[in-house]
Amino acid sequence: EVQLVESGGALVQPGGSLRISCAASEFPVSHNYMTWVRQAPGKGLEWVSIIFAGGTTYDADSVKGRFSISRDNSKNTMYLQLNSLRSEDTAVYYCASGRDRYFDSWGQGTLVTVSS
Amino acid sequence: SYVLTQPPSVSVSPGETATITCGGNNIGTQSVHWYQQKPGQVPVLVIYYDSDRPSGIPERFSGSNSGNTATLTISRVEAGDEADYYCQVWDSSSNHVVFGGGTKLTVL
């Protein structure tokens, strides 16, 4: 069974940086579409970034230039580098994967809180 | 950017049929996917490619897509179906994943 496990969420001050991780098992991260989706408290799902099997990446306008998605095939892990964090970035960050641009496997999420 | 519009809430009685819509410009030309998120839980894919069901999803869940509206239909609604439901597409013009705002299904 596909398993995704996020880690690295923390309390960060505004303007700070953080890297969160998503470790995958039972499938190679390089073979699937991998994405980050966030959910602010009491709000809906918001797409953040995606990395294609071939390595192409795209980001939501709200995080473009501040967040960066990547992966390490040798560790079978995907990452999200979060820079210049703002209070509105506070959310649970989910990683998810799929064989196309829909997502049939989700991690449990990691909480990022941006506050002074 | 592409926008998906969902009603904030839908209410049905047990045993009835729930219909949740997802509106978008010419959405019928796109592939629509649906997720169920119960309180405190992770989203679960319930419909992909407009009308396909992942293994383990009951046949009571079905989908359709035409014109400017995609629809998720849940037949013989049960109390356990109470959840938030989100539609999702890939917008090829912007290369963005797009989610609808979500619909809260309440089982009366």
Side-chain angles (χ1 to χ4, degrees):
Chain A
E1 180 182 339
V2 170
Q3 188 173 15
L4 299 170
V5 179
E6 300 96 334
S7 61
L11 172 62
V12 185
Q13 291 191 340
S17 296
L18 190 67
R19 188 179 79 162
I20 57 178
S21 304
C22 172
S25 60
E26 304 304 327
F27 77 98
V29 294
S30 60
H31 287 196
N32 275 24
Y33 292 83
M34 301 287 297
T35 195
W36 289 97
V37 175
R38 69 185 180 183
Q39 188 168 36
K43 302 297 185 182
L45 301 177
E46 180 188 13
W47 173 68
V48 176
S49 298
I50 191 169
I51 183 166
F52 287 10
T56 302
T57 66
Y58 297 104
D59 304 308
D61 294 345
S62 59
V63 306
K64 199 172 186 65
R66 299 189 301 124
F67 292 6
S68 178
I69 190 172
S70 64
R71 70 183 182 215
D72 184 332
N73 295 341
S74 68
K75 296 182 178 179
N76 213 34
T77 298
M78 177 179 68
Y79 303 98
L80 186 68
Q81 177 69 40
L82 300 81
N83 297 329
S84 302
L85 282 161
R86 308 165 179 168
S87 58
E88 55 264 36
D89 296 319
T90 293
V92 173
Y93 285 72
Y94 296 104
C95 69
S97 73
R99 287 169 292 174
D100 199 345
R101 285 149 286 188
Y102 63 86
F103 310 106
D104 55 3
S105 296
W106 293 68
Q108 289 300 309
T110 189
L111 177 61
V112 174
T113 303
V114 184
S115 175
S116 55
Chain B
S1 59
Y2 196 74
V3 175
L4 296 175
T5 301
Q6 297 183 237
S9 63
V10 168
S11 299
V12 294
S13 298
E16 294 189 342
T17 297
T19 301
I20 298 173
T21 59
C22 176
N25 187 34
N26 288 323
I27 196 173
T29 63
Q30 310 216 38
S31 291
V32 179
H33 319 294
W34 291 91
Y35 302 86
Q36 175 195 67
Q37 186 180 31
K38 296 181 180 180
Q41 297 188 19
V42 172
V44 173
L45 180 72
V46 293
I47 292 289
Y48 63 104
Y49 292 148
D50 297 340
S51 59
D52 290 345
R53 266 189 325 275
S55 61
I57 300 301
E59 292 183 7
R60 301 185 297 105
F61 288 79
S62 62
S64 63
N65 184 18
S66 179
N68 292 316
T69 305
T71 302
L72 173 69
T73 302
I74 309 171
S75 304
R76 302 180 301 282
V77 166
E78 303 172 356
D81 298 330
E82 193 162 274
D84 294 324
Y85 291 85
Y86 298 90
C87 56
Q88 178 248 310
V89 301
W90 171 257
D91 178 25
S92 57
S93 64
S94 63
N95 291 313
H96 281 24
V97 172
V98 180
F99 284 100
T103 297
K104 181 177 180 60
L105 175 66
T106 299
V107 181
L108 301 171

